[in-house]
Amino acid sequence: MQTYSDRTTMPRELDENEQAQKRSQREQDGSEMKSVELERPIAEAKTLIERRNAFELLRDQAASTTSATPASPGSRAADRKSTTAISPRR
């Protein structure tokens, strides 16, 4: 399974898949074999789009969760931020 830490990876894969679909469509000759070869990139594109949508949904959910809930006063997270701001780095 691939991870998408680089924002350009997913769009590049979708572009490559689109090119493969176009190439396969040009090569169609009515045979079942060519038809099956076209089905493969179409199925891969659907999977890539579903993965992209899931990734974007998780990213948006994480962004809305973290920005809407700042550390409450007295919490460990708030204490760590204060301590980090006060403590000199060595």
Side-chain angles (χ1 to χ4, degrees):
M1 184 172 161
Q2 280 185 319
T3 58
Y4 294 100
S5 58
D6 180 11
R7 289 184 171 190
T8 60
T9 303
M10 180 66 74
R12 185 177 7 172
E13 282 192 45
L14 284 168
D15 289 341
E16 290 170 358
N17 181 275
E18 181 181 2
Q19 295 304 316
Q21 286 183 41
K22 287 179 181 179
R23 189 172 36 255
S24 185
Q25 286 173 346
R26 282 192 304 269
E27 295 171 356
Q28 288 298 304
D29 61 4
S31 70
E32 185 175 348
M33 185 175 154
K34 293 292 183 180
S35 179
V36 170
E37 288 177 4
L38 176 58
E39 290 174 5
R40 188 175 308 127
I42 291 172
E44 288 174 2
K46 288 179 183 178
T47 301
L48 287 169
I49 290 168
E50 288 172 1
R51 287 168 46 192
R52 180 194 63 196
N53 292 345
F55 176 79
E56 289 176 354
L57 176 67
L58 289 172
R59 181 197 60 207
D60 293 345
Q61 289 292 322
S64 67
T65 301
T66 57
S67 65
T69 54
S72 58
S75 71
R76 288 185 177 173
D79 290 344
R80 253 185 269 134
K81 288 180 183 176
S82 299
T83 306
T84 304
I86 297 169
S87 301
R89 292 188 181 237
R90 293 180 186 175

Coordinates of all heavy atoms in Angstrom, one line a residue:
M1 N 0.8 -1.2 0.0 CA 0.0 0.0 0.0 C 0.9 1.2 0.0 O 1.8 1.3 0.7 CB -0.9 0.0 1.2 CG -1.9 1.1 1.3 SD -3.0 0.8 2.7 CE -3.6 2.5 2.8
Q2 N 0.5 2.2 -0.8 CA 1.3 3.4 -0.9 C 0.8 4.5 0.0 O -0.4 4.5 0.4 CB 1.2 4.0 -2.3 CG 2.1 3.3 -3.3 CD 2.1 4.1 -4.6 OE1 1.0 4.5 -5.1 NE2 3.2 4.2 -5.2
T3 N 1.7 5.3 0.5 CA 1.2 6.4 1.3 C 1.4 7.7 0.4 O 2.2 7.7 -0.5 CB 2.1 6.6 2.6 OG1 3.5 6.7 2.2 CG2 1.9 5.4 3.5
Y4 N 0.7 8.7 0.7 CA 0.7 9.9 -0.1 C 1.2 11.1 0.7 O 0.5 12.0 1.0 CB -0.6 10.2 -0.7 CG -1.0 9.1 -1.7 CD1 -1.8 8.1 -1.3 CD2 -0.4 9.1 -2.9 CE1 -2.1 7.1 -2.2 CE2 -0.7 8.1 -3.8 CZ -1.5 7.1 -3.5 OH -1.8 6.1 -4.3
S5 N 2.5 11.1 1.1 CA 3.0 12.2 1.9 C 3.3 13.3 0.9 O 3.3 14.5 1.3 CB 4.3 11.8 2.6 OG 5.2 11.3 1.7
D6 N 3.6 13.0 -0.3 CA 3.8 14.1 -1.3 C 2.5 14.4 -2.0 O 1.8 13.5 -2.5 CB 4.8 13.5 -2.3 CG 5.1 14.5 -3.4 OD1 4.7 15.7 -3.3 OD2 5.8 14.1 -4.4
R7 N 2.1 15.6 -2.0 CA 0.8 16.0 -2.6 C 0.7 15.8 -4.1 O -0.4 15.8 -4.6 CB 0.5 17.5 -2.3 CG 0.2 17.8 -0.9 CD -0.1 19.2 -0.7 NE -0.6 19.4 0.7 CZ -1.1 20.6 1.1 NH1 -1.3 21.5 0.2 NH2 -1.5 20.7 2.3
T8 N 1.8 15.6 -4.7 CA 1.8 15.4 -6.2 C 1.6 14.0 -6.6 O 1.4 13.7 -7.8 CB 3.0 16.0 -6.8 OG1 4.2 15.3 -6.3 CG2 3.2 17.5 -6.6
T9 N 1.8 13.1 -5.7 CA 1.8 11.6 -6.0 C 0.4 11.2 -6.6 O 0.3 10.6 -7.6 CB 2.2 10.8 -4.8 OG1 3.5 11.2 -4.4 CG2 2.2 9.3 -5.2
M10 N -0.7 11.5 -5.8 CA -2.0 11.1 -6.2 C -2.4 11.7 -7.6 O -2.8 10.9 -8.4 CB -3.0 11.4 -5.1 CG -4.4 11.0 -5.5 SD -4.7 9.2 -5.6 CE -4.6 8.7 -3.9
P11 N -2.3 13.0 -7.7 CA -2.7 13.6 -9.0 C -1.9 13.0 -10.2 O -2.4 12.7 -11.3 CB -2.4 15.0 -8.9 CG -2.5 15.3 -7.4 CD -2.0 14.0 -6.8
R12 N -0.6 12.7 -9.9 CA 0.2 12.1 -11.0 C -0.2 10.7 -11.4 O -0.3 10.4 -12.5 CB 1.7 12.1 -10.5 CG 2.7 11.6 -11.6 CD 4.1 11.7 -11.1 NE 4.1 12.0 -9.7 CZ 5.1 12.0 -8.9 NH1 6.2 11.7 -9.3 NH2 5.0 12.3 -7.6
E13 N -0.6 9.9 -10.3 CA -1.1 8.6 -10.6 C -2.4 8.7 -11.4 O -2.6 7.8 -12.3 CB -1.3 7.8 -9.3 CG 0.0 7.3 -8.8 CD -0.3 6.3 -7.6 OE1 -1.1 5.4 -7.8 OE2 0.4 6.4 -6.6
L14 N -3.3 9.6 -11.0 CA -4.5 9.8 -11.8 C -4.3 10.2 -13.2 O -4.9 9.7 -14.1 CB -5.4 10.8 -11.1 CG -6.1 10.3 -9.8 CD1 -6.7 11.4 -9.0 CD2 -7.2 9.2 -10.1
D15 N -3.3 11.1 -13.4 CA -3.0 11.5 -14.8 C -2.4 10.3 -15.6 O -2.8 10.1 -16.8 CB -1.9 12.6 -14.8 CG -2.5 13.9 -14.3 OD1 -3.8 14.1 -14.3 OD2 -1.7 14.8 -13.9
E16 N -1.5 9.5 -15.0 CA -1.0 8.3 -15.7 C -2.1 7.3 -16.0 O -2.1 6.7 -17.1 CB 0.1 7.7 -14.8 CG 1.4 8.5 -14.7 CD 2.3 8.0 -13.6 OE1 2.0 7.0 -13.0 OE2 3.4 8.6 -13.5
N17 N -3.0 7.2 -15.1 CA -4.1 6.3 -15.3 C -5.0 6.8 -16.5 O -5.4 6.0 -17.3 CB -4.9 6.1 -14.0 CG -6.1 5.2 -14.2 OD1 -7.1 5.6 -14.7 ND2 -5.9 3.9 -13.9
E18 N -5.2 8.0 -16.5 CA -6.0 8.6 -17.6 C -5.3 8.3 -19.0 O -6.0 8.0 -19.9 CB -6.2 10.1 -17.4 CG -7.1 10.7 -18.5 CD -7.2 12.2 -18.2 OE1 -6.7 12.8 -17.3 OE2 -8.0 12.8 -19.0
Q19 N -4.0 8.5 -19.0 CA -3.3 8.3 -20.2 C -3.4 6.8 -20.6 O -3.5 6.5 -21.8 CB -1.8 8.7 -20.1 CG -1.6 10.2 -19.9 CD -2.2 11.0 -21.0 OE1 -2.1 10.7 -22.2 NE2 -3.0 12.0 -20.6
A20 N -3.3 5.9 -19.6 CA -3.4 4.5 -19.9 C -4.8 4.1 -20.5 O -5.0 3.3 -21.4 CB -3.2 3.7 -18.6
Q21 N -5.9 4.8 -19.9 CA -7.2 4.6 -20.4 C -7.3 5.0 -21.9 O -7.9 4.3 -22.7 CB -8.2 5.3 -19.6 CG -8.5 4.7 -18.2 CD -9.5 5.4 -17.4 OE1 -10.5 5.8 -18.0 NE2 -9.3 5.6 -16.1
K22 N -6.8 6.2 -22.2 CA -6.9 6.7 -23.5 C -6.1 5.8 -24.5 O -6.6 5.6 -25.6 CB -6.3 8.2 -23.6 CG -7.2 9.2 -22.9 CD -6.6 10.6 -23.0 CE -7.5 11.6 -22.3 NZ -6.9 12.9 -22.3
R23 N -4.9 5.4 -24.1 CA -4.1 4.5 -24.9 C -4.9 3.2 -25.2 O -5.0 2.7 -26.3 CB -2.8 4.2 -24.2 CG -1.8 3.5 -25.1 CD -0.4 3.4 -24.4 NE -0.4 3.2 -22.9 CZ -0.1 4.2 -22.0 NH1 0.2 5.4 -22.4 NH2 -0.2 4.0 -20.8
S24 N -5.5 2.6 -24.2 CA -6.3 1.4 -24.3 C -7.5 1.6 -25.2 O -7.9 0.7 -25.9 CB -6.7 0.9 -22.9 OG -7.3 -0.3 -23.0
Q25 N -8.1 2.8 -25.1 CA -9.3 3.0 -25.9 C -8.9 3.1 -27.4 O -9.6 2.6 -28.3 CB -10.0 4.3 -25.5 CG -10.8 4.2 -24.2 CD -11.3 5.5 -23.7 OE1 -10.9 6.6 -24.1 NE2 -12.2 5.5 -22.7
R26 N -7.7 3.7 -27.7 CA -7.3 3.8 -29.1 C -7.0 2.4 -29.6 O -7.1 2.2 -30.8 CB -6.0 4.7 -29.1 CG -6.3 6.1 -29.1 CD -5.0 6.9 -29.5 NE -3.9 6.6 -28.6 CZ -3.5 7.2 -27.5 NH1 -4.3 8.2 -27.0 NH2 -2.4 6.8 -26.8
E27 N -6.5 1.5 -28.8 CA -6.1 0.2 -29.2 C -7.3 -0.8 -29.3 O -7.1 -1.9 -29.7 CB -5.1 -0.4 -28.2 CG -3.8 0.3 -28.2 CD -2.8 -0.1 -27.1 OE1 -3.2 -1.0 -26.3 OE2 -1.7 0.4 -27.1
Q28 N -8.5 -0.3 -29.0 CA -9.7 -1.2 -29.0 C -9.9 -1.7 -30.4 O -9.9 -1.0 -31.4 CB -10.9 -0.5 -28.5 CG -11.0 -0.2 -27.0 CD -11.0 -1.5 -26.2 OE1 -11.8 -2.4 -26.4 NE2 -10.0 -1.7 -25.3
D29 N -10.1 -3.0 -30.5 CA -10.4 -3.6 -31.8 C -11.6 -4.5 -31.8 O -11.9 -5.3 -32.7 CB -9.2 -4.4 -32.3 CG -8.8 -5.6 -31.4 OD1 -9.5 -5.8 -30.4 OD2 -7.8 -6.2 -31.7
G30 N -12.4 -4.4 -30.7 CA -13.6 -5.2 -30.6 C -13.4 -6.6 -29.9 O -14.3 -7.3 -29.7
S31 N -12.1 -6.9 -29.7 CA -11.9 -8.2 -29.0 C -12.1 -8.2 -27.5 O -12.0 -7.1 -26.9 CB -10.4 -8.7 -29.3 OG -9.5 -7.9 -28.6
E32 N -12.4 -9.3 -27.0 CA -12.6 -9.4 -25.5 C -11.3 -9.1 -24.8 O -11.4 -8.4 -23.7 CB -13.1 -10.8 -25.1 CG -13.5 -10.9 -23.7 CD -14.1 -12.2 -23.3 OE1 -14.4 -13.0 -24.2 OE2 -14.2 -12.5 -22.1
M33 N -10.2 -9.5 -25.3 CA -8.9 -9.2 -24.6 C -8.6 -7.7 -24.5 O -8.3 -7.3 -23.4 CB -7.8 -9.9 -25.4 CG -6.5 -9.8 -24.8 SD -5.3 -10.7 -25.8 CE -3.8 -9.9 -25.3
K34 N -8.9 -7.0 -25.5 CA -8.6 -5.5 -25.5 C -9.7 -4.9 -24.5 O -9.3 -3.9 -23.8 CB -8.7 -4.9 -26.9 CG -7.6 -5.3 -27.8 CD -6.3 -4.7 -27.3 CE -5.2 -5.1 -28.3 NZ -3.9 -4.5 -27.9
S35 N -10.9 -5.4 -24.5 CA -11.9 -4.9 -23.6 C -11.5 -5.1 -22.2 O -11.7 -4.2 -21.3 CB -13.2 -5.6 -23.9 OG -14.2 -5.1 -23.0
V36 N -11.0 -6.2 -21.8 CA -10.5 -6.5 -20.5 C -9.3 -5.6 -20.1 O -9.2 -5.1 -19.0 CB -10.1 -8.0 -20.3 CG1 -9.5 -8.3 -19.0 CG2 -11.4 -8.9 -20.5
E37 N -8.5 -5.4 -21.1 CA -7.3 -4.5 -20.8 C -7.8 -3.1 -20.5 O -7.1 -2.4 -19.7 CB -6.4 -4.5 -22.0 CG -5.6 -5.8 -22.1 CD -4.7 -5.8 -23.4 OE1 -4.6 -4.8 -24.1 OE2 -4.1 -6.8 -23.6
L38 N -8.9 -2.6 -21.1 CA -9.4 -1.3 -20.8 C -10.1 -1.3 -19.4 O -10.1 -0.3 -18.7 CB -10.4 -0.9 -21.9 CG -11.2 0.4 -21.6 CD1 -10.2 1.6 -21.5 CD2 -12.1 0.7 -22.8
E39 N -10.7 -2.4 -19.0 CA -11.4 -2.4 -17.7 C -10.4 -2.3 -16.6 O -10.8 -1.7 -15.5 CB -12.1 -3.8 -17.6 CG -13.3 -3.9 -18.5 CD -14.0 -5.3 -18.4 OE1 -13.5 -6.1 -17.6 OE2 -14.9 -5.5 -19.2
R40 N -9.2 -2.8 -16.7 CA -8.2 -2.7 -15.6 C -7.9 -1.2 -15.2 O -8.0 -0.9 -14.0 CB -7.0 -3.4 -16.0 CG -6.0 -3.6 -14.8 CD -4.8 -4.4 -15.2 NE -5.2 -5.7 -15.7 CZ -4.8 -6.2 -16.9 NH1 -3.9 -5.6 -17.6 NH2 -5.2 -7.4 -17.3
P41 N -7.5 -0.3 -16.2 CA -7.2 1.0 -15.8 C -8.5 1.8 -15.3 O -8.4 2.7 -14.4 CB -6.7 1.7 -17.0 CG -6.8 0.8 -18.1 CD -7.1 -0.6 -17.6
I42 N -9.7 1.4 -15.8 CA -10.9 2.0 -15.3 C -11.1 1.7 -13.8 O -11.4 2.5 -13.0 CB -12.1 1.7 -16.2 CG1 -12.0 2.3 -17.5 CG2 -13.4 2.1 -15.5 CD1 -13.0 1.9 -18.6
A43 N -10.9 0.4 -13.5 CA -11.1 0.0 -12.1 C -10.1 0.6 -11.2 O -10.4 1.0 -10.1 CB -11.0 -1.6 -12.0
E44 N -8.8 0.7 -11.7 CA -7.8 1.4 -10.9 C -8.1 2.8 -10.7 O -7.8 3.3 -9.6 CB -6.4 1.2 -11.6 CG -5.8 -0.2 -11.6 CD -4.6 -0.3 -12.4 OE1 -4.1 0.7 -13.0 OE2 -4.1 -1.4 -12.5
A45 N -8.7 3.5 -11.7 CA -9.0 4.9 -11.5 C -10.1 5.1 -10.4 O -10.0 6.0 -9.6 CB -9.5 5.5 -12.8
K46 N -11.1 4.2 -10.4 CA -12.1 4.2 -9.4 C -11.5 4.1 -8.0 O -11.9 4.8 -7.1 CB -13.2 3.2 -9.6 CG -14.1 3.5 -10.8 CD -15.1 2.3 -11.0 CE -15.9 2.6 -12.2 NZ -16.9 1.5 -12.5
T47 N -10.6 3.2 -7.9 CA -9.9 2.9 -6.6 C -9.1 4.2 -6.2 O -9.1 4.6 -5.0 CB -9.0 1.7 -6.6 OG1 -9.8 0.6 -7.0 CG2 -8.3 1.4 -5.3
L48 N -8.3 4.7 -7.1 CA -7.5 5.9 -6.8 C -8.4 7.1 -6.4 O -8.1 7.8 -5.4 CB -6.7 6.3 -8.0 CG -5.5 5.5 -8.4 CD1 -5.0 5.8 -9.7 CD2 -4.4 5.6 -7.3
I49 N -9.5 7.3 -7.1 CA -10.5 8.4 -6.7 C -11.1 8.1 -5.3 O -11.2 9.1 -4.5 CB -11.5 8.5 -7.8 CG1 -10.9 9.1 -9.1 CG2 -12.7 9.4 -7.3 CD1 -11.8 9.0 -10.3
E50 N -11.4 6.9 -5.0 CA -12.0 6.6 -3.7 C -10.9 6.9 -2.6 O -11.2 7.4 -1.5 CB -12.4 5.2 -3.6 CG -13.7 4.9 -4.4 CD -14.1 3.4 -4.5 OE1 -13.3 2.6 -4.0 OE2 -15.1 3.1 -5.1
R51 N -9.7 6.5 -2.9 CA -8.6 6.7 -1.9 C -8.3 8.2 -1.7 O -8.2 8.7 -0.6 CB -7.3 6.0 -2.3 CG -7.5 4.5 -2.1 CD -6.4 3.7 -2.8 NE -5.0 4.1 -2.6 CZ -4.0 3.7 -3.3 NH1 -4.2 2.7 -4.2 NH2 -2.8 4.1 -3.1
R52 N -8.4 8.9 -2.8 CA -8.1 10.4 -2.7 C -9.3 11.0 -1.9 O -9.0 11.8 -1.0 CB -8.1 11.0 -4.1 CG -7.9 12.5 -4.1 CD -8.2 13.2 -5.4 NE -9.6 13.0 -5.7 CZ -10.1 13.1 -6.9 NH1 -9.3 13.5 -7.9 NH2 -11.4 12.9 -7.2
N53 N -10.5 10.6 -2.2 CA -11.6 11.2 -1.4 C -11.6 10.9 0.0 O -11.8 11.7 0.9 CB -13.0 10.7 -2.0 CG -13.2 11.3 -3.4 OD1 -12.6 12.2 -3.8 ND2 -14.1 10.7 -4.2
A54 N -11.2 9.6 0.4 CA -11.1 9.2 1.8 C -9.9 10.0 2.5 O -10.1 10.5 3.6 CB -10.8 7.7 1.9
F55 N -8.8 10.2 1.8 CA -7.7 10.9 2.3 C -8.1 12.4 2.6 O -7.8 12.9 3.7 CB -6.5 10.9 1.4 CG -5.4 11.7 1.8 CD1 -4.5 11.3 2.8 CD2 -5.1 13.0 1.2 CE1 -3.4 12.0 3.2 CE2 -4.0 13.7 1.7 CZ -3.2 13.3 2.6
E56 N -8.8 13.0 1.6 CA -9.2 14.4 1.8 C -10.3 14.5 2.9 O -10.2 15.5 3.7 CB -9.8 14.9 0.5 CG -8.8 15.1 -0.6 CD -9.3 15.6 -1.9 OE1 -10.6 15.6 -2.1 OE2 -8.5 15.9 -2.8
L57 N -11.2 13.6 3.0 CA -12.1 13.6 4.1 C -11.4 13.5 5.5 O -11.7 14.3 6.4 CB -13.1 12.5 4.0 CG -14.2 12.3 5.1 CD1 -15.1 13.5 5.1 CD2 -14.9 11.1 5.0
L58 N -10.5 12.6 5.6 CA -9.7 12.5 6.9 C -8.9 13.7 7.2 O -8.9 14.2 8.3 CB -8.8 11.2 6.8 CG -9.5 9.9 6.9 CD1 -8.5 8.8 6.6 CD2 -10.2 9.7 8.2
R59 N -8.3 14.3 6.2 CA -7.5 15.5 6.3 C -8.4 16.6 6.8 O -8.1 17.4 7.8 CB -6.9 15.9 5.0 CG -6.0 17.1 5.1 CD -5.7 17.7 3.8 NE -7.0 18.1 3.1 CZ -7.1 18.1 1.8 NH1 -6.1 17.8 1.0 NH2 -8.3 18.4 1.3
D60 N -9.6 16.8 6.2 CA -10.5 17.8 6.6 C -11.1 17.6 8.0 O -11.2 18.6 8.7 CB -11.7 17.9 5.6 CG -11.2 18.4 4.2 OD1 -10.1 18.9 4.1 OD2 -12.0 18.2 3.2
Q61 N -11.4 16.4 8.3 CA -11.9 16.1 9.6 C -10.8 16.4 10.7 O -11.1 17.0 11.7 CB -12.3 14.6 9.8 CG -13.6 14.3 9.0 CD -14.8 15.0 9.6 OE1 -14.9 15.1 10.8 NE2 -15.7 15.4 8.8
A62 N -9.6 16.0 10.4 CA -8.5 16.3 11.4 C -8.3 17.8 11.5 O -8.1 18.3 12.6 CB -7.2 15.6 10.9
A63 N -8.3 18.5 10.4 CA -8.2 20.0 10.5 C -9.3 20.6 11.3 O -9.0 21.5 12.1 CB -8.1 20.6 9.1
S64 N -10.5 20.2 11.1 CA -11.6 20.8 11.8 C -11.5 20.4 13.3 O -11.9 21.2 14.2 CB -12.9 20.5 11.2 OG -13.2 19.1 11.4
T65 N -11.1 19.3 13.6 CA -11.0 18.8 15.0 C -9.9 19.5 15.8 O -10.1 20.0 16.9 CB -10.7 17.3 15.1 OG1 -11.8 16.6 14.4 CG2 -10.6 16.8 16.5
T66 N -8.7 19.7 15.2 CA -7.6 20.3 15.9 C -7.7 21.8 16.0 O -7.4 22.3 17.0 CB -6.3 19.9 15.2 OG1 -6.3 20.4 13.8 CG2 -6.0 18.5 15.2
S67 N -8.3 22.4 15.0 CA -8.4 23.9 15.1 C -9.6 24.3 16.0 O -9.5 25.4 16.5 CB -8.6 24.5 13.7 OG -9.8 24.0 13.1
A68 N -10.5 23.5 16.2 CA -11.7 23.9 17.0 C -11.5 23.6 18.5 O -12.3 24.0 19.3 CB -12.9 23.1 16.5
T69 N -10.5 22.8 18.8 CA -10.4 22.4 20.2 C -9.0 22.7 20.8 O -8.1 21.9 20.8 CB -10.7 20.9 20.4 OG1 -9.8 20.2 19.5 CG2 -12.1 20.5 20.1
P70 N -8.8 24.0 21.2 CA -7.6 24.3 21.8 C -7.4 23.7 23.1 O -8.4 23.3 23.7 CB -7.6 25.9 21.9 CG -9.1 26.2 22.0 CD -9.8 25.1 21.1
A71 N -6.2 23.6 23.6 CA -6.0 23.0 24.9 C -6.6 23.8 26.0 O -6.5 25.0 26.0 CB -4.5 22.9 25.2
S72 N -7.3 23.1 26.9 CA -8.0 23.9 28.0 C -7.0 24.2 29.0 O -6.0 23.5 29.2 CB -9.1 23.0 28.6 OG -8.6 21.8 29.0
P73 N -7.2 25.3 29.8 CA -6.3 25.7 30.8 C -6.1 24.6 31.9 O -7.1 24.0 32.3 CB -6.9 26.9 31.4 CG -7.9 27.4 30.4 CD -8.3 26.2 29.6
G74 N -4.9 24.3 32.2 CA -4.6 23.3 33.2 C -4.4 21.9 32.7 O -4.1 21.0 33.4
S75 N -4.6 21.8 31.4 CA -4.4 20.4 30.8 C -2.9 20.2 30.6 O -2.1 21.1 30.6 CB -5.1 20.3 29.4 OG -4.5 21.1 28.5
R76 N -2.6 19.0 30.4 CA -1.2 18.6 30.2 C -0.6 19.3 28.9 O 0.5 19.7 28.8 CB -1.0 17.1 30.1 CG -1.1 16.5 31.4 CD -0.8 15.0 31.3 NE -0.9 14.4 32.6 CZ -0.8 13.1 32.9 NH1 -0.6 12.3 31.8 NH2 -0.8 12.6 34.1
A77 N -1.5 19.3 27.9 CA -1.0 19.9 26.6 C -0.8 21.4 26.8 O 0.2 21.9 26.3 CB -2.1 19.7 25.5
A78 N -1.6 22.1 27.6 CA -1.4 23.5 27.8 C -0.1 23.7 28.7 O 0.7 24.6 28.5 CB -2.6 24.1 28.5
D79 N 0.1 22.8 29.7 CA 1.3 22.9 30.5 C 2.6 22.7 29.7 O 3.5 23.4 29.8 CB 1.3 21.8 31.6 CG 0.2 22.2 32.7 OD1 -0.3 23.3 32.7 OD2 -0.1 21.2 33.4
R80 N 2.5 21.7 28.7 CA 3.7 21.5 27.9 C 4.0 22.7 27.0 O 5.2 23.1 26.9 CB 3.4 20.3 27.0 CG 4.2 19.1 27.4 CD 4.0 17.9 26.5 NE 2.9 17.1 27.0 CZ 1.9 16.7 26.2 NH1 1.9 16.9 25.0 NH2 0.9 16.0 26.8
K81 N 3.0 23.3 26.5 CA 3.2 24.5 25.6 C 3.8 25.6 26.5 O 4.7 26.3 26.0 CB 1.9 25.0 25.0 CG 1.4 24.1 23.9 CD 0.1 24.6 23.4 CE -0.4 23.6 22.3 NZ -1.7 24.1 21.8
S82 N 3.3 25.8 27.7 CA 3.9 26.9 28.6 C 5.3 26.5 28.9 O 6.2 27.4 28.9 CB 3.1 27.0 29.8 OG 1.7 27.3 29.5
T83 N 5.6 25.3 29.3 CA 6.9 24.9 29.7 C 7.9 25.0 28.5 O 9.0 25.5 28.7 CB 6.9 23.4 30.2 OG1 5.9 23.3 31.2 CG2 8.3 23.0 30.7
T84 N 7.5 24.7 27.3 CA 8.3 24.8 26.2 C 8.6 26.3 25.9 O 9.7 26.6 25.5 CB 7.6 24.2 24.9 OG1 7.3 22.8 25.2 CG2 8.5 24.2 23.7
A85 N 7.6 27.1 26.1 CA 7.8 28.5 25.8 C 8.8 29.2 26.8 O 9.5 30.1 26.5 CB 6.5 29.3 25.8
I86 N 8.8 28.7 28.0 CA 9.6 29.2 29.1 C 11.0 28.6 29.1 O 12.0 29.3 29.3 CB 8.9 29.0 30.5 CG1 7.6 29.7 30.5 CG2 9.9 29.4 31.6 CD1 6.8 29.4 31.7
S87 N 11.1 27.3 28.9 CA 12.4 26.6 29.0 C 13.3 27.0 27.8 O 12.9 27.0 26.7 CB 12.2 25.1 28.9 OG 11.3 24.7 30.0
P88 N 14.6 27.3 28.1 CA 15.6 27.5 27.1 C 15.9 26.2 26.4 O 16.0 25.2 27.1 CB 16.7 28.1 27.8 CG 16.6 27.6 29.2 CD 15.2 27.4 29.5
R89 N 16.2 26.2 25.1 CA 16.6 25.0 24.4 C 18.1 24.9 24.5 O 18.8 25.9 24.4 CB 16.2 25.1 23.0 CG 14.7 25.0 22.8 CD 14.3 24.8 21.4 NE 12.9 24.8 21.3 CZ 12.2 23.8 20.7 NH1 12.9 22.8 20.2 NH2 10.9 23.8 20.7
R90 N 18.6 23.7 24.7 CA 20.0 23.5 24.8 C 20.5 22.6 23.6 O 19.9 21.8 23.1 CB 20.4 22.7 26.1 CG 20.1 23.7 27.2 CD 20.4 23.0 28.5 NE 20.0 23.9 29.6 CZ 20.0 23.6 30.8 NH1 20.4 22.4 31.2 NH2 19.6 24.4 31.7

